[in-house]
Amino acid sequence: MKRFGKMRPSGTTSAAEPYTPGEDEILHMAHIVKDYRIGEETFRALDDVTLTVKRGEFLAVLGPSGSGKTTLMNIIGCLDVPTSGDYYLSGKPVRGQREAQLAQIRNKEIGFIFQSFYLLQKQTAYENVELPLIYANMPEKQRRERVEDMLEKVGLGDKMKNFPNQLSGGQQQRVAIARAIATNPTILLADEPTGALDQKTGAQVMELFHALNNEGRTIIMITHDAKIASHASRIVRILDGKLSEGKLEDA
Amino acid sequence: MRKLIYTVRQSLRISVQNIITNKMRSFLTMLGIIIGVAAVIGLITLVQNATSSILGQFSELGAGTLSVSAPGTAMKQGLTDADLKTLMAVPGVKGVSPQVSGSTAAVYDFKVYDNVSVTGRNELYFAYNDVVESGRALNASDMSGNINVCLIDQDFRTNILKGTEAVGKTVRLNGAEYLIVGVQKQDNSLFSAYSDRSNLDGSVIIPYKNALTMSWNKNVTSLDIYVEDGASNADVEENLRETLDKIYNNTEGAYQIFNLDSLMDTMNTVSSMLSTMLGGIAGIALVVGGIGIMNMMLVSVSERTKEIGLRKALGAEPARIQTQFLLEAVILSIIGGLIGVLFGCLIALIGARLMDTPFAVSPSAIALGLGFSAAVGIIFGWAPARRASRLNPIDALRAE
Ligand SMILES: Nc1ncnc2c1ncn2[C@@H]1O[C@H](COP(=O)(O)OP(=O)(O)OP(=O)(O)O)[C@@H](O)[C@H]1O
Ligand SMILES: [Mg+2]
């Protein structure tokens, strides 16, 4: 089993040019490399990725299967740490942090939306949305209000007591979105958010994303589907671990 | 501090939710603990009740009493009146009561009863033992005057007097007229329960000198020594030995002293040994229960790997995950412990009914059972909780 201690970046991290975050930059990655060791060999899943995201942006990361999208998302979401390179979130370096601190960063800064929703099946929609608020130590009363607000916002005010298996796929994803925005995170991080949905419900989710983006929320959406990516205001392409700025028209 | 309380409360909630959603498995997991704790409480209580009731009987019988059997030597049989006076003067002795036992025939209402047990006692016996139910005890003037008076027991009243009023009647014992002056209480002691009296028509107590005469003995061979309050039985026993050695010229085997205190000490030791042993056996059951909990928790952790990964992604620190799983284990084992306490009390109650001893559960046994089960939860929940807290969130999320 992997231990967290081993995942912290090793001394190989390049001490590149010092970074001072711009006014509205909330995410900055410089020369991020992620190597996976498979036995004797190392596999470079991310190769010198540099990326800056501004507040309020709706960014799509577009790339085919195996290109390193999930790897990138894990690093952006502080679920994993890069082999080398610098990563600043909200102007603060994410480096050498212990897992406990990473967990707090995830709780405060990142709202995850997963392809297969990842709702706790034995808990109601309400309880699922409540979860990150519990980990944020929000008092009970405030939490109740917040959960109800979030579920109303995604149009599920009447389904709070439903268990995930009593909800449609689109509704489940909306619960997941309510959960992701509950702590008012800096970034919404979505990995193939429509991957498990049909076109119509996928479109509904995209509408919701637009609405959230119009509220000023920053969204990073990872997808292999150019059509879905076209909903974003900015697209970057990833191929074999290399990132390149894409044009909207390419999509 | 507030954050800690909050964390524990929320973890508690999550843990309870998880236990409830897995009712059947939770129950099966608790079974080991239930059996262990029920065994601890049931067995310990049974042993304690049994011994305390036996000890109670003993102390009723012999608190501060030493029994001396003094057959004496060929030269000097038993103890004379002068010897008794000497013993009375031994430091720490507050009373000496001879016991002369025999049996004789009794005649009442023109009928002969062959098997009547006769015990000779002095007035001190009645001063230090509460045996008189009605009428009066034998007193000093009965002794000095060798008066023919007696106390009868319940059997005597039932079998010979046919239940009629006893005090004031006369019976013929070994050919002499005896006036009944009192009736003894029913003897409920453990010893009487185990001595066979079925072929006796009844028993009487008479002044000990009369009993000596009746049995053709000159001297007393058996007596009870009453120890002064605050004096230790062992010390008095020592003093008595000195005096008796003088009386019998240091002859081996001339006398024997039975010290009920040392018997009680032995009983206590045996019972605490028994308790420890049974506790040990129950402890093994608890350990087995703990392994059950550990097993269930490990299964639970690997089953819920994805859930753990998700919780971590949503911001649960490793310590929180660990607290959650540890609490789950502890709650499981404490609930098991509580159910075990109930069953243990039930066992103790049934045992008490069967053995006809008073039912009492010692709070220490309950505390022990609950404490043990909580400890088992912590000890055996630790490793699985630790494993859960150390799961890598990405691997965990990817798990199916
Ligand atoms: N833990 C790992 N160990 C070794 N190699 C890995 C690991 N995780 C990912 N990889 C490799 O890194 C590359 C990128 O994987 P990643 O999961 O980021 O792809 P992806 O773009 O998300 O693909 P998909 O669209 O299919 O989800 C793949 O070639 C994969 O085999
Ligand atoms: Mg992927």
Side-chain angles (χ1 to χ4, degrees), chain B residues 188-354:
Chain B
N188 282 324
S189 78
L190 205 66
F191 294 128
S192 74
Y194 289 106
S195 53
D196 183 19
R197 325 166 61 100
S198 57
N199 59 354
L200 275 185
D201 294 311
S203 320
V204 296
I205 299 179
I206 59 175
Y208 78 97
K209 284 196 178 147
N210 299 27
L212 283 177
T213 317
M214 211 182 264
S215 58
W216 301 99
N217 279 323
K218 258 171 62 202
N219 295 334
V220 171
T221 57
S222 174
L223 52 139
D224 289 343
I225 306 282
Y226 301 113
V227 175
E228 262 172 17
D229 300 339
S232 105
N233 275 22
D235 291 347
V236 176
E237 184 182 340
E238 207 42 53
N239 298 341
L240 280 173
R241 282 190 192 285
E242 250 173 60
T243 310
L244 286 164
D245 280 342
K246 253 181 237 154
I247 291 173
Y248 289 116
N249 259 329
N250 294 320
T251 314
E252 257 327 287
Y255 67 91
Q256 251 183 314
I257 299 179
F258 302 97
N259 186 347
L260 273 170
D261 263 14
S262 64
L263 197 61
M264 272 156 83
D265 282 350
T266 317
M267 281 282 308
N268 267 324
T269 321
V270 169
S271 106
S272 76
M273 255 168 57
L274 210 56
S275 288
T276 315
M277 216 173 68
L278 290 173
I281 292 169
I284 292 171
L286 273 177
V287 169
V288 172
I291 293 170
I293 289 220
M294 178 139 100
N295 188 38
M296 143 108 169
M297 293 309 294
L298 283 174
V299 169
S300 173
V301 168
S302 64
E303 239 179 33
R304 285 153 60 193
T305 302
K306 200 177 198 123
E307 173 195 326
I308 294 163
L310 177 71
R311 288 179 186 279
K312 290 191 157 193
L314 296 181
E317 299 112 331
R320 284 233 199 187
I321 300 287
Q322 184 159 357
T323 313
Q324 179 194 323
F325 278 88
L326 198 58
L327 275 176
E328 228 171 278
V330 172
I331 291 171
L332 269 182
S333 46
I334 287 184
I335 293 176
L338 282 172
I339 300 176
V341 166
L342 286 181
F343 274 109
C345 291
L346 207 66
I347 293 174
L349 180 68
I350 293 170
R353 284 283 143 80
L354 289 181

